């Protein structure tokens, strides 16, 4: 995963002369360079009390399905199916409640455009301007709210995912290769009903069906697991930012190693 930040569009423009020449996340870079670039970006994520999430977006890179050069993988996502539907305001609406105490920008971002962080008068006008680039074509209105499903855990918020892969692609028609759990984003405690809800287990919606979990994770008392290194509460932007902050610190060497291993599973650069 990585982040897109609208506030950095102008920075890229000034550093590269044109946004078209930016190679920060060039897919042709070598694996080590990409991994290093991501960690560098993660180390710059602001602390929770200073972070602004209105212009931040999370991009999840899907795993490889075709085994070239990676092992085939896929993800199963779980979503929050309870709560009140989020209804975004009409274009031009302002306001909003301050429901996220860690978000320093609590109001709906209205009347803004994707390119508002660009000095259009200077950059996008004149004969020598880059007004033909995508940077000067960001004219669609956009809105951001701390109450949206991407910011707080509410109806339709992604709660987490489990990633499965084929560690061995050899097999026969009678005994085909089997998919195995590679890792999941959940904390093990969130895979089962809380102790107080044990009697109401029939009403609990398991985020991952028990039969799809390894035996070690079917135990409701399990607090840690090699399959759950991230232990994320959900997949909101704030949770992704929290994981990025951990990966951005060199003291989390083991977590970094797993992150790199998951990036290049089967490609010979897991370490």
């Amino acid at each position: 995963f990585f982040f897109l930040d609208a506030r950095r569009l102008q920075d890229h423009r000034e550093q590269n002369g044109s946004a078209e020449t930016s190679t920060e996340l060039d897919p042709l870079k070598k694996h080590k360079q990409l991994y290093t670039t991501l960690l560098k970006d993660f180390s710059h994520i602001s602390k929770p009390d200073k972070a602004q999430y209105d212009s931040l977006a999370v991009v999840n890179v899907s795993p490889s399905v075709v085994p070239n050069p990676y092992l085939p993988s896929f993800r199963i996502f779980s979503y929050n199916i309870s709560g009140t539907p989020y209804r975004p305001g009409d274009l031009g609406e302002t306001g909003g409640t301050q429901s996220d105490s860690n978000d320093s920008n609590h109001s709906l971002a209205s009347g803004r455009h994707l390119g508002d962080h660009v000095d259009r008068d200077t950059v996008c006008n004149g004969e020598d301007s880059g007004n033909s680039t995508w940077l000067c074509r960001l004219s669609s209105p956009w809105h951001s709210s701390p109450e949206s499903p991407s910011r707080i855990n509410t109806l339709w918020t992604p709660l987490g995912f489990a990633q499965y892969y084929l560690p061995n692609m050899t097999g026969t028609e009678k005994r085909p290769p089997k998919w195995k759990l590679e890792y999941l984003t959940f904390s093990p405690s969130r895979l089962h009903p809380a102790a107080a809800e044990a009697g109401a287990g029939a009403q609990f919606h398991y985020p991952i069906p028990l039969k799809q979990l390894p035996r070690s994770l079917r135990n409701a008392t399990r607090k840690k697991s090699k399959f759950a290194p991230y232990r994320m509460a959900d997949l909101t932007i704030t949770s992704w930012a929290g994981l990025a902050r951990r990966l951005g610190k060199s003291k989390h060497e083991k977590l970094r190693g797993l992150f790199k291993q998951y990036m290049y599973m089967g490609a010979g650069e897991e370490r």
Side-chain angles (χ1 to χ4, degrees):
F1 74 98
F2 61 94
F3 296 94
L4 293 178
D5 191 339
R7 294 170 299 176
R8 298 179 62 184
L9 292 177
Q10 177 64 28
D11 294 337
H12 288 314
R13 174 75 188 197
E14 293 174 350
Q15 294 172 8
N16 300 297
S18 170
E20 300 291 342
T21 63
S22 175
T23 59
E24 182 175 358
L25 289 175
D26 186 346
L28 298 180
K29 281 189 174 183
K30 294 181 180 179
H31 291 169
K32 185 176 181 180
Q33 289 177 299
L34 176 58
Y35 169 73
T36 302
T37 297
L38 288 175
L39 292 188
K40 182 178 179 180
D41 276 358
F42 294 162
S43 68
H44 293 155
I45 298 294
S46 302
K47 295 180 179 180
D49 59 340
K50 296 182 179 180
Q52 295 187 21
Y53 301 110
D54 273 351
S55 59
L56 201 63
V58 180
V59 180
N60 278 276
V61 181
S62 61
S64 174
V65 176
V66 179
N68 183 23
Y70 308 105
L71 295 176
S73 306
F74 67 90
R75 292 173 180 172
I76 298 178
F77 284 81
S78 295
Y79 292 82
N80 187 339
I81 57 173
S82 63
T84 304
Y86 167 71
R87 302 188 184 282
D90 295 331
L91 295 181
E93 180 182 351
T94 60
T97 59
Q98 301 183 8
S99 60
D100 188 348
S101 59
N102 288 331
D103 197 333
S104 60
N105 190 341
H106 297 291
S107 62
L108 285 170
S110 63
R112 299 173 61 182
H113 294 76
L114 290 173
D116 275 0
H117 295 290
V118 179
D119 184 354
R120 291 174 175 273
D121 292 337
T122 301
V123 176
C124 302
N125 292 313
E127 296 181 358
D128 297 329
S129 71
N131 54 17
S132 62
T133 67
W134 64 270
L135 190 64
C136 294
R137 296 175 181 270
L138 299 177
S139 57
S140 299
W142 68 282
H143 299 264
S144 180
S145 170
E147 296 183 350
S148 67
S150 66
R151 301 275 282 279
I152 61 171
N153 190 342
T154 185
L155 182 65
W156 305 130
T157 294
L159 300 175
F161 66 77
Q163 181 162 311
Y164 295 83
Y165 76 114
L166 281 178
N168 186 349
M169 291 184 290
T170 61
T172 64
E173 183 176 352
K174 293 184 178 180
R175 303 188 67 177
K178 294 183 178 181
W179 294 94
K180 290 188 176 182
L181 178 67
E182 183 180 357
Y183 74 97
L184 42 77
T185 61
F186 298 93
S187 172
S189 62
R190 293 182 177 271
L191 299 174
H192 303 273
E197 302 173 352
Q203 286 74 40
F204 179 76
H205 295 281
Y206 288 88
I208 305 295
L210 293 181
K211 65 179 181 179
Q212 303 299 338
L213 293 174
R215 293 185 182 277
S216 61
L217 284 176
R218 298 177 192 177
N219 185 348
T221 62
R222 193 71 179 259
K223 302 300 181 183
K224 294 183 179 180
S225 171
K226 65 178 182 180
F227 296 106
Y230 295 156
R231 290 182 284 177
M232 300 173 69
D234 49 46
L235 298 185
T236 57
I237 293 177
T238 51
S239 291
W240 281 115
L243 175 60
R245 292 187 192 99
R246 282 188 284 157
L247 289 169
K249 297 178 180 179
S250 58
K251 67 179 182 180
H252 294 292
E253 182 178 354
K254 183 177 180 180
L255 186 65
R256 284 182 166 190
L258 289 171
F259 176 69
K260 186 176 183 180
Q261 177 180 330
Y262 298 150
M263 285 179 65
Y264 305 123
M265 178 60 72
E269 293 202 25
E270 294 88 344
R271 296 290 185 266

